[in-house]
Amino acid sequence: MTTPFQPSGRPRTVAIDERRGLDIQSLVLLAVLLAAGFILNFTAGKAISAVSGGAIAPEFIVSAFCLAILVIRPTIPQALVIGLISAAVIQITTSSPGIDFVAEGIAAVAMASIVNVGARTPARNLVPVVGTFITTLLSGMIFMVVKMALMGFAGELAAVMTPVVTVTAIFNAILVGALYQPVKQSLGLNE
């Protein structure tokens, strides 16, 4: 016969990761971050791109969903949903409709995989920066390859976009790395 008590007479406890899924609080956080990313794309993103001569074209929505995935810790299917929602928001400003659904869907799944695996390693403190860098780079490269395929594999597009994607990945990684701890602390979350 089983008993809910351990031999010591104390009740058993089960540790549950409360940040595992898309509950209302998580969806509100995602909405706030995506809205902030959208506004930043129109303001700071355009300014940074203009000042850098197009060398840096930050995609704050990618930063927003990376930050959301770090905080929410979704499952892989939920991460795909986050990526697709993010892509839908990007459709308002993109010059290449539809491509972001592929790029952000795959990138969000990659970010969730990095977060889920990285959180269990000694290098977990590097996950926000490394994960965001890889995710942004992956998103940008997928976008570039699909766009090249639609244009008949225009090699000059790769020559122009690859440095921009790389610098943007560095920018996003620094941004998310700087914001992760303050966001986590403001929400009262622990590892």
Side-chain angles (χ1 to χ4, degrees), residues 64-95:
F65 81 68
C66 285
L67 192 54
I69 289 170
L70 281 161
V71 172
I72 297 168
R73 305 280 169 97
T75 63
I76 297 301
Q78 291 168 341
L80 178 60
V81 170
I82 289 171
L84 295 176
I85 291 169
S86 301
V89 173
I90 292 171
Q91 296 309 294
I92 299 168
T93 60
T94 189
S95 60

PDB file of all heavy atoms in Angstrom, residues 64-95:
ATOM      1  N   ALA A  64      12.621  40.012 -29.099  1.00  0.00           N
ATOM      2  CA  ALA A  64      11.453  39.875 -28.213  1.00  0.00           C
ATOM      3  C   ALA A  64      11.067  38.412 -28.043  1.00  0.00           C
ATOM      4  O   ALA A  64      10.818  37.956 -26.920  1.00  0.00           O
ATOM      5  CB  ALA A  64      10.280  40.684 -28.765  1.00  0.00           C
ATOM      6  N   PHE A  65      11.014  37.644 -29.138  1.00  0.00           N
ATOM      7  CA  PHE A  65      10.600  36.254 -28.959  1.00  0.00           C
ATOM      8  C   PHE A  65      11.698  35.419 -28.312  1.00  0.00           C
ATOM      9  O   PHE A  65      11.413  34.481 -27.581  1.00  0.00           O
ATOM     10  CB  PHE A  65       9.983  35.626 -30.207  1.00  0.00           C
ATOM     11  CG  PHE A  65      10.902  35.109 -31.289  1.00  0.00           C
ATOM     12  CD1 PHE A  65      11.719  34.008 -31.100  1.00  0.00           C
ATOM     13  CD2 PHE A  65      10.871  35.696 -32.546  1.00  0.00           C
ATOM     14  CE1 PHE A  65      12.516  33.509 -32.125  1.00  0.00           C
ATOM     15  CE2 PHE A  65      11.659  35.202 -33.581  1.00  0.00           C
ATOM     16  CZ  PHE A  65      12.494  34.110 -33.355  1.00  0.00           C
ATOM     17  N   CYS A  66      12.971  35.794 -28.514  1.00  0.00           N
ATOM     18  CA  CYS A  66      14.046  35.089 -27.803  1.00  0.00           C
ATOM     19  C   CYS A  66      13.921  35.327 -26.304  1.00  0.00           C
ATOM     20  O   CYS A  66      14.033  34.388 -25.501  1.00  0.00           O
ATOM     21  CB  CYS A  66      15.418  35.568 -28.293  1.00  0.00           C
ATOM     22  SG  CYS A  66      15.874  34.936 -29.920  1.00  0.00           S
ATOM     23  N   LEU A  67      13.674  36.560 -25.919  1.00  0.00           N
ATOM     24  CA  LEU A  67      13.499  36.897 -24.508  1.00  0.00           C
ATOM     25  C   LEU A  67      12.272  36.184 -23.934  1.00  0.00           C
ATOM     26  O   LEU A  67      12.325  35.631 -22.831  1.00  0.00           O
ATOM     27  CB  LEU A  67      13.377  38.413 -24.360  1.00  0.00           C
ATOM     28  CG  LEU A  67      13.459  39.003 -22.963  1.00  0.00           C
ATOM     29  CD1 LEU A  67      14.719  38.563 -22.243  1.00  0.00           C
ATOM     30  CD2 LEU A  67      13.401  40.522 -23.047  1.00  0.00           C
ATOM     31  N   ALA A  68      11.190  36.163 -24.693  1.00  0.00           N
ATOM     32  CA  ALA A  68       9.976  35.464 -24.239  1.00  0.00           C
ATOM     33  C   ALA A  68      10.245  33.976 -24.035  1.00  0.00           C
ATOM     34  O   ALA A  68       9.828  33.393 -23.025  1.00  0.00           O
ATOM     35  CB  ALA A  68       8.841  35.666 -25.241  1.00  0.00           C
ATOM     36  N   ILE A  69      10.952  33.356 -24.952  1.00  0.00           N
ATOM     37  CA  ILE A  69      11.253  31.928 -24.837  1.00  0.00           C
ATOM     38  C   ILE A  69      12.152  31.660 -23.629  1.00  0.00           C
ATOM     39  O   ILE A  69      11.960  30.683 -22.908  1.00  0.00           O
ATOM     40  CB  ILE A  69      11.860  31.379 -26.146  1.00  0.00           C
ATOM     41  CG1 ILE A  69      10.763  31.322 -27.221  1.00  0.00           C
ATOM     42  CG2 ILE A  69      12.506  30.009 -25.940  1.00  0.00           C
ATOM     43  CD1 ILE A  69      11.259  31.040 -28.623  1.00  0.00           C
ATOM     44  N   LEU A  70      13.106  32.550 -23.372  1.00  0.00           N
ATOM     45  CA  LEU A  70      13.965  32.399 -22.198  1.00  0.00           C
ATOM     46  C   LEU A  70      13.153  32.435 -20.909  1.00  0.00           C
ATOM     47  O   LEU A  70      13.414  31.677 -19.975  1.00  0.00           O
ATOM     48  CB  LEU A  70      15.013  33.511 -22.167  1.00  0.00           C
ATOM     49  CG  LEU A  70      16.208  33.323 -23.085  1.00  0.00           C
ATOM     50  CD1 LEU A  70      16.914  34.653 -23.320  1.00  0.00           C
ATOM     51  CD2 LEU A  70      17.166  32.299 -22.507  1.00  0.00           C
ATOM     52  N   VAL A  71      12.177  33.321 -20.846  1.00  0.00           N
ATOM     53  CA  VAL A  71      11.387  33.492 -19.631  1.00  0.00           C
ATOM     54  C   VAL A  71      10.288  32.440 -19.510  1.00  0.00           C
ATOM     55  O   VAL A  71      10.097  31.839 -18.458  1.00  0.00           O
ATOM     56  CB  VAL A  71      10.778  34.917 -19.583  1.00  0.00           C
ATOM     57  CG1 VAL A  71       9.802  35.063 -18.439  1.00  0.00           C
ATOM     58  CG2 VAL A  71      11.885  35.961 -19.476  1.00  0.00           C
ATOM     59  N   ILE A  72       9.590  32.174 -20.601  1.00  0.00           N
ATOM     60  CA  ILE A  72       8.438  31.265 -20.575  1.00  0.00           C
ATOM     61  C   ILE A  72       8.860  29.803 -20.509  1.00  0.00           C
ATOM     62  O   ILE A  72       8.198  28.983 -19.886  1.00  0.00           O
ATOM     63  CB  ILE A  72       7.525  31.510 -21.812  1.00  0.00           C
ATOM     64  CG1 ILE A  72       6.949  32.918 -21.764  1.00  0.00           C
ATOM     65  CG2 ILE A  72       6.426  30.459 -21.897  1.00  0.00           C
ATOM     66  CD1 ILE A  72       6.280  33.356 -23.060  1.00  0.00           C
ATOM     67  N   ARG A  73       9.949  29.452 -21.179  1.00  0.00           N
ATOM     68  CA  ARG A  73      10.425  28.068 -21.278  1.00  0.00           C
ATOM     69  C   ARG A  73       9.363  27.164 -21.912  1.00  0.00           C
ATOM     70  O   ARG A  73       8.925  26.175 -21.313  1.00  0.00           O
ATOM     71  CB  ARG A  73      10.848  27.516 -19.931  1.00  0.00           C
ATOM     72  CG  ARG A  73      11.876  28.318 -19.177  1.00  0.00           C
ATOM     73  CD  ARG A  73      13.267  28.049 -19.703  1.00  0.00           C
ATOM     74  NE  ARG A  73      14.242  28.973 -19.193  1.00  0.00           N
ATOM     75  CZ  ARG A  73      15.036  28.754 -18.161  1.00  0.00           C
ATOM     76  NH1 ARG A  73      14.972  27.625 -17.517  1.00  0.00           N
ATOM     77  NH2 ARG A  73      15.909  29.651 -17.798  1.00  0.00           N
ATOM     78  N   PRO A  74       8.942  27.492 -23.129  1.00  0.00           N
ATOM     79  CA  PRO A  74       7.877  26.704 -23.754  1.00  0.00           C
ATOM     80  C   PRO A  74       8.363  25.343 -24.235  1.00  0.00           C
ATOM     81  O   PRO A  74       9.556  25.102 -24.383  1.00  0.00           O
ATOM     82  CB  PRO A  74       7.489  27.575 -24.963  1.00  0.00           C
ATOM     83  CG  PRO A  74       8.775  28.244 -25.337  1.00  0.00           C
ATOM     84  CD  PRO A  74       9.455  28.533 -24.014  1.00  0.00           C
ATOM     85  N   THR A  75       7.407  24.488 -24.526  1.00  0.00           N
ATOM     86  CA  THR A  75       7.712  23.224 -25.186  1.00  0.00           C
ATOM     87  C   THR A  75       8.038  23.559 -26.643  1.00  0.00           C
ATOM     88  O   THR A  75       7.815  24.685 -27.103  1.00  0.00           O
ATOM     89  CB  THR A  75       6.504  22.272 -25.136  1.00  0.00           C
ATOM     90  OG1 THR A  75       5.425  22.878 -25.861  1.00  0.00           O
ATOM     91  CG2 THR A  75       6.091  21.970 -23.699  1.00  0.00           C
ATOM     92  N   ILE A  76       8.516  22.589 -27.378  1.00  0.00           N
ATOM     93  CA  ILE A  76       8.868  22.819 -28.786  1.00  0.00           C
ATOM     94  C   ILE A  76       7.634  23.235 -29.611  1.00  0.00           C
ATOM     95  O   ILE A  76       7.696  24.217 -30.346  1.00  0.00           O
ATOM     96  CB  ILE A  76       9.584  21.586 -29.389  1.00  0.00           C
ATOM     97  CG1 ILE A  76      10.910  21.324 -28.653  1.00  0.00           C
ATOM     98  CG2 ILE A  76       9.801  21.747 -30.887  1.00  0.00           C
ATOM     99  CD1 ILE A  76      11.918  22.465 -28.678  1.00  0.00           C
ATOM    100  N   PRO A  77       6.495  22.538 -29.507  1.00  0.00           N
ATOM    101  CA  PRO A  77       5.318  22.993 -30.267  1.00  0.00           C
ATOM    102  C   PRO A  77       4.866  24.409 -29.870  1.00  0.00           C
ATOM    103  O   PRO A  77       4.455  25.201 -30.720  1.00  0.00           O
ATOM    104  CB  PRO A  77       4.236  21.958 -29.928  1.00  0.00           C
ATOM    105  CG  PRO A  77       4.990  20.737 -29.513  1.00  0.00           C
ATOM    106  CD  PRO A  77       6.230  21.247 -28.840  1.00  0.00           C
ATOM    107  N   GLN A  78       4.971  24.729 -28.588  1.00  0.00           N
ATOM    108  CA  GLN A  78       4.601  26.071 -28.144  1.00  0.00           C
ATOM    109  C   GLN A  78       5.571  27.112 -28.696  1.00  0.00           C
ATOM    110  O   GLN A  78       5.174  28.221 -29.048  1.00  0.00           O
ATOM    111  CB  GLN A  78       4.563  26.141 -26.617  1.00  0.00           C
ATOM    112  CG  GLN A  78       3.429  25.337 -26.024  1.00  0.00           C
ATOM    113  CD  GLN A  78       3.560  25.157 -24.525  1.00  0.00           C
ATOM    114  OE1 GLN A  78       4.627  25.312 -23.943  1.00  0.00           O
ATOM    115  NE2 GLN A  78       2.438  24.805 -23.893  1.00  0.00           N
ATOM    116  N   ALA A  79       6.850  26.761 -28.786  1.00  0.00           N
ATOM    117  CA  ALA A  79       7.844  27.666 -29.366  1.00  0.00           C
ATOM    118  C   ALA A  79       7.527  27.934 -30.835  1.00  0.00           C
ATOM    119  O   ALA A  79       7.671  29.061 -31.320  1.00  0.00           O
ATOM    120  CB  ALA A  79       9.244  27.083 -29.218  1.00  0.00           C
ATOM    121  N   LEU A  80       7.088  26.900 -31.543  1.00  0.00           N
ATOM    122  CA  LEU A  80       6.683  27.083 -32.934  1.00  0.00           C
ATOM    123  C   LEU A  80       5.540  28.093 -33.027  1.00  0.00           C
ATOM    124  O   LEU A  80       5.556  28.979 -33.887  1.00  0.00           O
ATOM    125  CB  LEU A  80       6.276  25.746 -33.559  1.00  0.00           C
ATOM    126  CG  LEU A  80       5.777  25.802 -35.003  1.00  0.00           C
ATOM    127  CD1 LEU A  80       6.846  26.371 -35.935  1.00  0.00           C
ATOM    128  CD2 LEU A  80       5.341  24.414 -35.457  1.00  0.00           C
ATOM    129  N   VAL A  81       4.584  27.993 -32.125  1.00  0.00           N
ATOM    130  CA  VAL A  81       3.472  28.949 -32.093  1.00  0.00           C
ATOM    131  C   VAL A  81       4.001  30.358 -31.835  1.00  0.00           C
ATOM    132  O   VAL A  81       3.584  31.321 -32.496  1.00  0.00           O
ATOM    133  CB  VAL A  81       2.418  28.547 -31.028  1.00  0.00           C
ATOM    134  CG1 VAL A  81       1.389  29.642 -30.812  1.00  0.00           C
ATOM    135  CG2 VAL A  81       1.742  27.239 -31.440  1.00  0.00           C
ATOM    136  N   ILE A  82       4.940  30.500 -30.908  1.00  0.00           N
ATOM    137  CA  ILE A  82       5.537  31.814 -30.626  1.00  0.00           C
ATOM    138  C   ILE A  82       6.213  32.359 -31.885  1.00  0.00           C
ATOM    139  O   ILE A  82       6.074  33.531 -32.220  1.00  0.00           O
ATOM    140  CB  ILE A  82       6.535  31.719 -29.445  1.00  0.00           C
ATOM    141  CG1 ILE A  82       5.767  31.501 -28.141  1.00  0.00           C
ATOM    142  CG2 ILE A  82       7.418  32.962 -29.362  1.00  0.00           C
ATOM    143  CD1 ILE A  82       6.644  31.172 -26.945  1.00  0.00           C
ATOM    144  N   GLY A  83       6.943  31.508 -32.591  1.00  0.00           N
ATOM    145  CA  GLY A  83       7.594  31.931 -33.829  1.00  0.00           C
ATOM    146  C   GLY A  83       6.603  32.363 -34.891  1.00  0.00           C
ATOM    147  O   GLY A  83       6.807  33.366 -35.576  1.00  0.00           O
ATOM    148  N   LEU A  84       5.514  31.627 -35.025  1.00  0.00           N
ATOM    149  CA  LEU A  84       4.505  31.962 -36.037  1.00  0.00           C
ATOM    150  C   LEU A  84       3.748  33.244 -35.673  1.00  0.00           C
ATOM    151  O   LEU A  84       3.432  34.059 -36.559  1.00  0.00           O
ATOM    152  CB  LEU A  84       3.541  30.794 -36.235  1.00  0.00           C
ATOM    153  CG  LEU A  84       4.179  29.521 -36.810  1.00  0.00           C
ATOM    154  CD1 LEU A  84       3.164  28.395 -36.878  1.00  0.00           C
ATOM    155  CD2 LEU A  84       4.817  29.773 -38.161  1.00  0.00           C
ATOM    156  N   ILE A  85       3.476  33.443 -34.387  1.00  0.00           N
ATOM    157  CA  ILE A  85       2.848  34.699 -33.958  1.00  0.00           C
ATOM    158  C   ILE A  85       3.794  35.866 -34.242  1.00  0.00           C
ATOM    159  O   ILE A  85       3.374  36.916 -34.746  1.00  0.00           O
ATOM    160  CB  ILE A  85       2.474  34.640 -32.457  1.00  0.00           C
ATOM    161  CG1 ILE A  85       1.330  33.659 -32.228  1.00  0.00           C
ATOM    162  CG2 ILE A  85       2.100  36.032 -31.933  1.00  0.00           C
ATOM    163  CD1 ILE A  85       1.062  33.335 -30.763  1.00  0.00           C
ATOM    164  N   SER A  86       5.070  35.676 -33.943  1.00  0.00           N
ATOM    165  CA  SER A  86       6.069  36.715 -34.208  1.00  0.00           C
ATOM    166  C   SER A  86       6.146  37.029 -35.697  1.00  0.00           C
ATOM    167  O   SER A  86       6.221  38.199 -36.097  1.00  0.00           O
ATOM    168  CB  SER A  86       7.441  36.266 -33.697  1.00  0.00           C
ATOM    169  OG  SER A  86       7.397  36.011 -32.316  1.00  0.00           O
ATOM    170  N   ALA A  87       6.114  35.999 -36.526  1.00  0.00           N
ATOM    171  CA  ALA A  87       6.146  36.193 -37.978  1.00  0.00           C
ATOM    172  C   ALA A  87       4.924  36.968 -38.458  1.00  0.00           C
ATOM    173  O   ALA A  87       5.021  37.806 -39.354  1.00  0.00           O
ATOM    174  CB  ALA A  87       6.228  34.845 -38.680  1.00  0.00           C
ATOM    175  N   ALA A  88       3.785  36.692 -37.851  1.00  0.00           N
ATOM    176  CA  ALA A  88       2.568  37.425 -38.227  1.00  0.00           C
ATOM    177  C   ALA A  88       2.716  38.912 -37.927  1.00  0.00           C
ATOM    178  O   ALA A  88       2.292  39.763 -38.728  1.00  0.00           O
ATOM    179  CB  ALA A  88       1.356  36.847 -37.495  1.00  0.00           C
ATOM    180  N   VAL A  89       3.345  39.229 -36.807  1.00  0.00           N
ATOM    181  CA  VAL A  89       3.569  40.641 -36.464  1.00  0.00           C
ATOM    182  C   VAL A  89       4.546  41.271 -37.455  1.00  0.00           C
ATOM    183  O   VAL A  89       4.344  42.401 -37.907  1.00  0.00           O
ATOM    184  CB  VAL A  89       4.086  40.780 -35.016  1.00  0.00           C
ATOM    185  CG1 VAL A  89       4.489  42.212 -34.702  1.00  0.00           C
ATOM    186  CG2 VAL A  89       3.031  40.290 -34.025  1.00  0.00           C
ATOM    187  N   ILE A  90       5.577  40.552 -37.837  1.00  0.00           N
ATOM    188  CA  ILE A  90       6.575  41.063 -38.776  1.00  0.00           C
ATOM    189  C   ILE A  90       5.955  41.356 -40.143  1.00  0.00           C
ATOM    190  O   ILE A  90       6.413  42.242 -40.865  1.00  0.00           O
ATOM    191  CB  ILE A  90       7.762  40.079 -38.900  1.00  0.00           C
ATOM    192  CG1 ILE A  90       8.544  40.042 -37.588  1.00  0.00           C
ATOM    193  CG2 ILE A  90       8.680  40.454 -40.051  1.00  0.00           C
ATOM    194  CD1 ILE A  90       9.609  38.958 -37.524  1.00  0.00           C
ATOM    195  N   GLN A  91       4.881  40.648 -40.492  1.00  0.00           N
ATOM    196  CA  GLN A  91       4.259  40.839 -41.801  1.00  0.00           C
ATOM    197  C   GLN A  91       3.805  42.281 -42.041  1.00  0.00           C
ATOM    198  O   GLN A  91       3.708  42.728 -43.176  1.00  0.00           O
ATOM    199  CB  GLN A  91       3.065  39.890 -41.985  1.00  0.00           C
ATOM    200  CG  GLN A  91       3.427  38.432 -41.995  1.00  0.00           C
ATOM    201  CD  GLN A  91       4.551  38.096 -42.956  1.00  0.00           C
ATOM    202  OE1 GLN A  91       4.396  38.220 -44.164  1.00  0.00           O
ATOM    203  NE2 GLN A  91       5.693  37.713 -42.428  1.00  0.00           N
ATOM    204  N   ILE A  92       3.563  43.002 -40.965  1.00  0.00           N
ATOM    205  CA  ILE A  92       3.110  44.390 -41.090  1.00  0.00           C
ATOM    206  C   ILE A  92       4.199  45.266 -41.698  1.00  0.00           C
ATOM    207  O   ILE A  92       3.890  46.200 -42.430  1.00  0.00           O
ATOM    208  CB  ILE A  92       2.662  44.933 -39.707  1.00  0.00           C
ATOM    209  CG1 ILE A  92       1.488  44.091 -39.197  1.00  0.00           C
ATOM    210  CG2 ILE A  92       2.314  46.414 -39.765  1.00  0.00           C
ATOM    211  CD1 ILE A  92       1.130  44.327 -37.746  1.00  0.00           C
ATOM    212  N   THR A  93       5.471  44.947 -41.416  1.00  0.00           N
ATOM    213  CA  THR A  93       6.566  45.813 -41.874  1.00  0.00           C
ATOM    214  C   THR A  93       7.493  45.184 -42.910  1.00  0.00           C
ATOM    215  O   THR A  93       8.363  45.872 -43.420  1.00  0.00           O
ATOM    216  CB  THR A  93       7.432  46.236 -40.670  1.00  0.00           C
ATOM    217  OG1 THR A  93       7.976  45.066 -40.055  1.00  0.00           O
ATOM    218  CG2 THR A  93       6.629  47.027 -39.660  1.00  0.00           C
ATOM    219  N   THR A  94       7.333  43.926 -43.209  1.00  0.00           N
ATOM    220  CA  THR A  94       8.301  43.260 -44.080  1.00  0.00           C
ATOM    221  C   THR A  94       8.139  43.668 -45.549  1.00  0.00           C
ATOM    222  O   THR A  94       7.050  43.998 -46.005  1.00  0.00           O
ATOM    223  CB  THR A  94       8.201  41.724 -43.949  1.00  0.00           C
ATOM    224  OG1 THR A  94       9.300  41.137 -44.662  1.00  0.00           O
ATOM    225  CG2 THR A  94       6.899  41.183 -44.513  1.00  0.00           C
ATOM    226  N   SER A  95       9.258  43.587 -46.243  1.00  0.00           N
ATOM    227  CA  SER A  95       9.227  43.833 -47.690  1.00  0.00           C
ATOM    228  C   SER A  95       9.100  42.521 -48.456  1.00  0.00           C
ATOM    229  O   SER A  95       8.964  42.525 -49.675  1.00  0.00           O
ATOM    230  CB  SER A  95      10.496  44.573 -48.119  1.00  0.00           C
ATOM    231  OG  SER A  95      11.633  43.794 -47.794  1.00  0.00           O
TER     232      SER A  95
END
